[in-house]
Amino acid sequence: MVLNFGIIGTNWITHSYVECAQATQKWNLAAVYSRKEESAKEFASKYEGQKIALYTDLNKFYADPNLNAIYIASPNILHYEQAKAALEAGKHVILEKPSCSTSEELDELFALSKSKGVFLIEAWRHIQEANFKILKQSISKIGRILGASITFCQFSSRYDAVLKGEVPNIFNLEMGGGALVDMGCYTVAAAVWLFGAPKDAHYHPVIVSTGADGGGTLTLQYEGFTVHLSSSKMHTSDAPSEIYGEKASLIVPTITDIEKVTLSDPRTKKREELGTKKENLNLKEEAAEQARIITDEDWKAAGELESHSRAVLKVLQKVRRDNGLLFPGGK
């Protein structure tokens, strides 16, 4: 079965998702929504030979009977209302991270999806990567967990706009922006998928002139160990991510697009490579799993992802509020 899907958001991540999703041969781009007709046409023009409906009216877009699902990659602050409307129209929803501003909004969306008999899946790409799965499976090799450090710091050209006094969306709290929800959420999502929901969380942000966080350090407290998370849009870091155990450590060069997984034994000084070849299309694995869940009606797998999304958002919401990083829906 091939799923026809429409997209909201005509940015680079949407193009990447469409390319990767269609490469699975389980998805077919059938509709594009944009506020501007020119933007919709330009986006669709990249996919020659495909019959793609163009919309500038969201209600007509949601009502398209040809669509099985909708992929939402609009500004963060719009995720809740757009996902809600799509679910009410009976469409499956693939919702880019971060899902919503508050746990209350996400609770409502999941309840709605179940009442409509459709799936709501947050688009966490890294946890579906083959090497991330190997990383998780290999935790049993390192003995008692002593701690972990996860890093995702990537300079954004839009930070230069901030330095010029501008307020780009990604650094604008009114648009649901900030480094924590753009970059840091990947580190939180990784930790929660690897270790489960933490007992407590504390964030130490670097606040930029817009009032949003440009980066920061977050600690997650678990029973017997602490996980340190570092994220930033103000600088780039090549620091690896590591999980420390009594017997050995696991090391990955990055927490997304993982190229290798290394098991390091501190006693023998030996290193063993556990990873496999990385998928070139970095959203293909998640798109394939999302299609499988929908076509197989795998509510168990969807439930595991739902629990993960809820736990991640609970952490993000808690530490944002602790630091006064409030979005319009959460004030």
Side-chain angles (χ1 to χ4, degrees), residues 84-100:
K84 182 179 180 180
L87 293 169
E88 287 177 336
K91 312 299 186 187
H92 303 292
V93 171
I94 308 300
L95 185 58
E96 263 303 336
K97 60 79 196 167
S99 57
C100 297

Side-chain angles (χ1 to χ4, degrees), residues 96-112:
E96 263 303 336
K97 60 79 196 167
S99 57
C100 297
S101 296
T102 68
S103 293
E104 293 77 12
E105 290 177 346
L106 189 59
D107 289 344
E108 184 180 343
L109 293 185
F110 276 122
L112 179 59

Side-chain angles (χ1 to χ4, degrees), residues 132-239:
F132 195 101
K133 292 178 179 179
I134 291 172
L135 174 66
K136 183 174 182 178
Q137 293 164 0
S138 301
I139 291 176
S140 61
K141 299 176 183 288
I142 68 172
R144 184 170 70 92
I145 298 173
L146 302 178
S149 61
I150 302 175
T151 299
F152 195 13
C153 300
Q154 195 171 79
F155 175 77
S156 169
S157 60
R158 285 169 287 184
Y159 181 56
D160 282 338
V162 172
L163 296 177
K164 294 176 182 177
E166 300 172 18
V167 188
N169 284 350
I170 201 59
F171 289 102
N172 186 352
L173 292 177
E174 293 298 313
M175 297 301 290
L180 176 66
V181 294
D182 189 64
M183 304 293 289
C185 62
Y186 282 104
T187 65
V188 175
V192 170
W193 196 249
L194 292 169
F195 312 117
K199 295 173 60 179
D200 202 0
H202 298 279
Y203 185 45
H204 306 279
V206 177
I207 305 299
V208 299
S209 60
T210 65
D213 57 315
T217 301
L218 198 158
T219 56
L220 303 180
Q221 190 63 51
Y222 289 87
E223 190 65 48
F225 66 96
T226 301
V227 177
H228 298 269
L229 310 178
S230 178
S231 61
S232 180
K233 294 185 72 63
M234 301 182 296
H235 69 270
T236 295
S237 172
D238 293 324

